[in-house]
């Protein structure tokens, strides 16, 4: 199974479409709206003005995010279609949350981090799953954090494999699917999908 963590834009049409792509690739795919219950009258992302979604996500308590992701992972793991192996993937803000979730859940088969930053250094020894990072070459802010995360993961004896796609921009998994996508973004997205599908085949 693949738990898909959305960007800071919340549950968007793109998140739903990329979750469908994971399903088409052979995963049991599930994408929680982490703003469920946080909108007006207990609503979710769609009930919050677009200009306020990022701020609402920024106010989510980390323990609540972890609890919600654990509930989703527990649910999908027990589905008859699932082979009992659960992975997590996230994009940008969700990429950082994917990495952080790996510090909180011992039975993950893998964590995939798409242009997200690493977790708190003191939490890294808690990671048991292999972590795969997909990064954009033209993403100075996130890329600046990679060497320290690599060193921390290595020091803790953890598996962290990274791919940095030359010329690609932050958000290439979304941008690379658009009609006006740049060639570097399209290439980065395609290369990342090769890796994601290869892991599915290995985890069968």
């Amino acid at each position: 199974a693949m738990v898909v963590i959305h960007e800071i834009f919340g549950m968007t049409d793109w998140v739903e479409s990329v979750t469908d792509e994971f399903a088409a690739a052979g995963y049991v795919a599930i994408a929680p709206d982490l703003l469920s219950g946080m909108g007006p009258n207990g609503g979710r992302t769609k009930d919050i003005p677009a200009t306020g979604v990022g701020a609402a996500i920024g106010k989510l308590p980390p323990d609540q995010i972890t609890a919600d992701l654990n509930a989703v992972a527990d649910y999908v793991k027990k589905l008859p279609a699932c082979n009992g192996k659960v992975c997590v993937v996230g994009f940008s803000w969700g990429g950082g949350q994917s990495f952080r979730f790996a510090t909180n859940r011992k039975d993950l088969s893998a964590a995939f981090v798409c242009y997200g930053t690493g977790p708190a250094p003191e939490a890294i020894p808690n990671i048991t799953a292999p972590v795969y990072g997909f990064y954009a070459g033209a993403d100075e802010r996130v890329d600046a954090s990679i060497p320290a995360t690599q060193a921390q993961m290595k020091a803790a004896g953890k598996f962290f494999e990274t791919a940095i796609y030359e010329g690609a921009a932050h958000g290439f998994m979304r941008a690379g699917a658009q009609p006006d996508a740049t060639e570097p973004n399209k290439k980065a997205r395609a290369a990342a999908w090769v890796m994601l599908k290869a892991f599915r085949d290995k985890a069968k």
Side-chain angles (χ1 to χ4, degrees), residues 42-124:
R44 49 198 173 105
T45 294
K46 72 177 185 63
D47 301 306
I48 300 172
T51 54
V53 170
I57 287 178
K59 293 176 182 176
L60 290 175
D63 287 349
Q64 177 179 314
I65 296 171
T66 300
D68 286 348
L69 292 174
N70 272 325
V72 172
D74 289 343
Y75 167 78
V76 75
K77 185 176 183 177
K78 295 174 184 174
L79 292 178
C82 181
N83 65 0
K85 298 177 181 179
V86 178
C87 306
V88 64
V89 65
F91 308 92
S92 192
W93 176 85
Q97 293 302 320
S98 176
F99 216 145
R100 193 180 71 81
F101 190 46
T103 71
N104 287 293
R105 183 150 184 128
K106 299 293 187 183
D107 66 346
L108 287 178
S109 291
F112 299 102
V113 179
C114 295
Y115 33 89
T117 53
E122 62 270 19
I124 283 177

Side-chain angles (χ1 to χ4, degrees), residues 6-7 9-13 15-16 31-34 44-46:
H6 56 66
E7 306 154 302
F9 309 118
M11 182 57 66
T12 60
D13 290 345
V15 175
E16 293 179 2
D33 184 343
L34 294 171
R44 49 198 173 105
T45 294
K46 72 177 185 63

Side-chain angles (χ1 to χ4, degrees), residues 155-171:
K158 307 302 179 182
F159 180 96
F160 183 38
E161 182 177 305
T162 60
I164 301 177
Y165 303 111
E166 184 178 353
H170 186 89

